[in-house]
Amino acid sequence: MAAKRFFDDSADPDSNQSNYKRIRKTPSFASVIKEVVMVNFLDNFCSALEPMLRRVVHEEVENGLRLCSRSIGRSPSLRIKALEPSNLRLIFNKKLSLPIFTNSKIVDSHGHSLQLLLVDAAGDCLVPTTLASPIKIEIVVLDGDFPSGENEASWTHEVFNKNIVKERAGKRPLLTGELNITMRDGVASLGDLEFTDNSSWIRSRRFRIGAKVVHIGNGQNNTVRIMEAMTDSFVVKDHRGELYKKHYPPALGDDVWRLEKIGKDGTFHKKLTSQGIKTVQDFLKLANIDSEKIRRILGNGMSEKMWEVTYRHAKTCEMGTKSYIARGANYTLILNPICQVIRATINGQICHSRELRGIQRAYIEKLVKDAFTNWNSLEEVDGSLINEPALLTQGEPAVHHLNAYPRSALLTAAGGSDQAVEYPDWIFNGVRYISESSSGGELHYL
């Protein structure tokens, strides 16, 4: 009978090692249950604890903020003042010169660089004022529709910033030049400013130029509210259109299409040039001599309202100093560049328009029309010297130059005295006219 073999730890060490590992890797059922119970307990505990912790933290934070606000309220030196509405505001000193084209310098209505002023708007008037500290100002572009009706007189800083217009994607900065300036003593001059893009791509098709305060010296930013400045809205045109822009004021030698309502190579332009009216001077001369004729040339396409706009624009032209002399056997007329009479001298006597009646006026009107017809043959002189006797009919007295020209342009006679001038006997075309003082200057013929 074989002997019973007893388990011997040293008999098969590898087998023991394998069994040991197998036993260690396989947890018991009880340990698994215990671990699951423990995990569930921790989850439930944390879930129950979280609301309580949140409530405690919230209460502690509120208590801390309350204590902090009380301490700041009790300490004026630490109190932060909110920006309150004030009467201070920035304004542009003058309106812009229009129209505005891309890549062209922006100037005011007098042709100078733009200027900003700091004013106090407390009363009915804007009173220039100053701050002790320098003010840093930024120049921006605004939407032409801003401000809207409810914000027309005032707006907040946030609303102002929301209406700032930036350049289109892929384009250069919309406004270039000196965009950050410093105001001292309540005045600041802007440097060169130019638009790089037109205004046709935004809904309003118009821009404004605005100026806002970005910093006030000595830390006054938190206590002073200065209203932003803005110009009137305007259209920015492409610089190629500058070749066709109108001139304000026009010059006498400008092409006639530089006037309002007359487009270059348009119908009106072609009609005028076909009749020899090529310049603003030509236009005004004919308008003064025979307005009905120039209206017939323009035709029914130019309405009464359009005519008024065109003629009003033409009358703003700068006259210069030139004068023109028309001479005859018994008369001398001195005319300005648009065929208005500055002085009429007949038979050595200076004529006053208020003394002319009937045939007198008709005669001088005829002389003016003759001068217009023969304009190129008139003697051109420096108008600033017309007071000199040498430029007038020999032997006639010197008189003061009359600077204002009447609209009718039929006759304006200059004189240094308001007293009436008695006219001698005149002989026109073989007819003798005499003046009687009792008749108030009426002329009679024999």
Side-chain angles (χ1 to χ4, degrees):
M1 182 175 178
K4 186 182 290 186
R5 298 183 63 182
F6 295 95
F7 180 76
D8 185 359
D9 292 340
S10 61
D12 191 358
D14 293 337
S15 176
N16 292 339
Q17 185 73 15
S18 176
N19 291 337
Y20 176 76
K21 289 181 179 180
R22 185 166 55 254
I23 293 172
R24 294 292 293 175
K25 286 182 179 180
T26 306
S28 65
F29 178 76
S31 65
V32 171
I33 296 300
K34 182 178 180 181
E35 185 175 353
V36 170
V37 171
M38 181 63 69
V39 170
N40 290 338
F41 172 78
L42 290 175
D43 288 342
N44 293 334
F45 179 76
C46 291
S47 298
L49 186 62
E50 182 178 2
M52 182 178 66
L53 291 175
R54 287 179 179 275
R55 184 169 59 254
V56 171
V57 170
H58 182 70
E59 291 175 354
E60 290 299 322
V61 170
E62 283 189 344
N63 291 334
L65 291 175
R66 192 177 298 113
L67 293 174
C68 181
S69 63
R70 289 176 181 174
S71 63
I72 292 177
R74 290 191 299 266
S75 303
S77 60
L78 298 177
R79 188 180 298 127
I80 299 177
K81 296 183 180 179
L83 291 179
E84 299 179 355
S86 72
N87 297 319
L88 297 180
R89 66 186 308 150
L90 298 174
I91 64 168
F92 285 94
N93 190 25
K94 293 183 177 66
K95 294 183 179 295
L96 298 179
S97 175
L98 301 177
I100 294 177
F101 294 89
T102 57
N103 302 321
S104 295
K105 182 180 177 181
I106 301 170
V107 295
D108 64 24
S109 57
H110 291 175
H112 303 141
S113 298
L114 303 185
Q115 190 177 65
L116 280 170
L117 300 179
L118 178 66
V119 298
D120 189 335
D124 296 334
C125 300
L126 300 178
V127 180
T129 187
T130 62
L131 290 182
S133 306
I135 305 172
K136 301 292 184 181
I137 297 174
E138 182 182 1
I139 308 302
V140 297
V141 180
L142 299 170
D143 191 325
D145 280 346
F146 176 74
S148 57
E150 62 270 16
N151 295 321
E152 189 171 356
S154 62
W155 52 83
T156 64
H157 183 69
E158 291 72 20
V159 172
F160 182 90
N161 286 336
K162 286 181 181 179
N163 284 276
I164 293 177
V165 179
K166 296 296 184 181
E167 65 274 7
R168 288 190 279 181
K171 296 282 188 177
R172 296 168 54 201
L174 184 56
L175 189 66
T176 61
E178 191 177 354
L179 303 182
N180 294 280
I181 60 175
T182 300
M183 173 178 282
R184 292 183 174 86
D185 300 324
V187 180
S189 294
L190 282 61
D192 291 349
L193 295 177
E194 294 181 1
F195 279 98
T196 62
D197 199 358
N198 61 62
S199 58
S200 63
W201 52 276
I202 65 171
R203 187 180 62 83
S204 67
R205 298 182 179 275
R206 303 178 75 86
F207 289 145
R208 294 179 189 265
I209 295 178
K212 66 173 185 175
V213 174
V214 294
H215 178 74
I216 304 177
N218 297 336
Q220 297 185 45
N221 291 44
N222 294 328
T223 60
V224 178
R225 163 75 169 123
I226 300 178
M227 287 284 290
E228 297 80 5
M230 65 175 67
T231 66
D232 293 336
S233 63
F234 54 85
V235 174
V236 177
K237 302 179 181 180
D238 191 88
H239 71 279
R240 289 172 294 183
E242 190 169 10
L243 298 175
Y244 303 93
K245 74 175 182 178
K246 309 301 181 182
H247 288 172
Y248 303 92
L252 289 173
D254 281 346
D255 291 325
V256 71
W257 59 261
R258 295 287 186 183
L259 297 177
E260 290 284 356
K261 306 301 180 182
I262 301 178
K264 184 177 182 181
D265 297 327
T267 301
F268 297 145
H269 183 207
K270 292 178 180 178
K271 287 181 177 180
L272 291 171
T273 53
S274 67
Q275 298 296 318
I277 305 171
K278 300 179 179 180
T279 66
V280 174
Q281 184 179 16
D282 296 335
F283 178 91
L284 283 171
K285 284 193 300 181
L286 184 56
N288 287 325
I289 293 299
D290 192 347
S291 62
E292 292 301 322
K293 180 177 180 179
I294 198 169
R295 293 296 302 275
R296 289 195 301 270
I297 293 172
L298 292 169
N300 295 330
M302 175 164 281
S303 65
E304 186 68 27
K305 186 175 182 180
M306 293 172 65
W307 166 257
E308 290 177 0
V309 172
T310 303
Y311 186 53
R312 185 164 55 247
H313 183 207
K315 288 196 302 180
T316 64
C317 74
E318 298 177 352
M319 304 294 288
T321 61
K322 291 182 180 180
S323 295
Y324 299 82
I325 299 179
R327 301 182 188 275
N330 64 331
Y331 71 89
T332 300
L333 298 181
I334 299 180
L335 308 170
N336 70 7
I338 59 175
C339 213
Q340 291 174 324
V341 178
I342 300 174
R343 175 187 293 176
T345 304
I346 298 179
N347 289 338
Q349 295 295 321
I350 299 173
C351 304
H352 294 270
S353 61
R354 61 180 177 271
E355 299 296 331
L356 295 178
R357 298 291 186 274
I359 299 176
Q360 274 183 293
R361 183 178 294 276
Y363 176 73
I364 295 182
E365 287 179 10
K366 179 182 180 301
L367 295 180
V368 174
K369 288 182 179 180
D370 290 342
F372 169 76
T373 303
N374 301 287
W375 187 263
N376 292 333
S377 64
L378 300 186
E379 180 183 351
E380 183 179 306
V381 297
D382 185 350
S384 62
L385 303 178
I386 66 170
N387 290 333
E388 296 295 331
L391 293 179
L392 305 176
T393 303
Q394 292 184 358
E396 71 178 82
V399 297
H400 298 289
H401 173 58
L402 186 66
N403 293 320
Y405 306 137
R407 180 175 179 179
S408 66
L410 295 177
L411 178 67
T412 298
S417 172
D418 291 334
Q419 296 179 353
V421 176
E422 288 191 6
Y423 299 101
D425 294 352
W426 291 357
I427 299 178
F428 299 150
N429 299 328
V431 181
R432 180 168 176 249
Y433 300 89
I434 62 173
S435 170
E436 295 182 358
S437 59
S438 60
S439 63
E442 283 290 344
L443 293 180
H444 302 270
Y445 62 92
L446 300 176

